Amino acid sequence: PIAFLPKSFTRSLAGRVLEGADHVSVTLPKMEGVGRLSVSVALNGIDFTRVPGELRVYETLRLRSVLPARGRACGGTTLTLRGDGLRASPDLSVLFVKGARR
C-alpha cells in the first residue's frame, strides 16, 4: 500500500533556517507517508508564494538481500530484492554497476 502526504500543511521553521545573501535553506521535518509536494514560502505566514517544481518525499530504503547472488553475463536472470521501504512505483529504478566489489 502507498501512503500519500496530506494535500497541504504548514510547518513553522523557526530555529531551523539557514540564510544566505540570495537563499534560505531549511531542514525537511519527518514526514508521514510518501508522495509529491508543492512548496510555498511566506515571509509573514499569510502571503504564500509557490516555489517552481515539486519535492518528492520517499521512505528510507533498507535492502536485506538480493537473490540469486549470481546471474549469467548474457542477462535474463530474474532477481528478487527484499527489504523495507520497497513499493510499486513508476519511479522505481535499479542500477547495475559493472566492476562493483564486495
Side-chain angles (χ1 to χ4, degrees):
I2 299 174
F4 290 96
L5 297 166
K7 283 195 170 195
S8 66
F9 57 94
T10 305
R11 300 264 186 182
S12 171
L13 297 172
R16 294 181 289 209
V17 177
L18 301 174
E19 299 179 38
D22 64 348
H23 70 278
V24 175
S25 299
V26 298
T27 300
L28 185 67
K30 182 176 179 177
M31 309 299 274
E32 300 271 336
V34 298
R36 297 174 188 206
L37 295 175
S38 64
V39 178
S40 297
V41 177
L43 296 176
N44 61 6
I46 298 169
D47 301 312
F48 284 86
T49 300
R50 186 173 172 162
V51 176
E54 67 183 12
L55 174 66
R56 294 181 185 190
V57 177
Y58 56 90
E59 294 181 40
T60 301
L61 182 60
R62 290 185 182 91
L63 292 176
R64 291 189 308 263
S65 66
V66 58
L67 294 171
R70 298 173 192 234
R72 296 176 48 167
C74 64
T77 302
T78 299
L79 301 175
T80 300
L81 305 175
R82 296 189 188 275
D84 301 316
L86 290 167
R87 61 181 175 82
S89 166
D91 298 325
L92 179 64
S93 301
V94 178
L95 175 66
F96 298 92
V97 180
K98 185 176 182 178
R101 296 181 186 186
R102 291 184 182 206

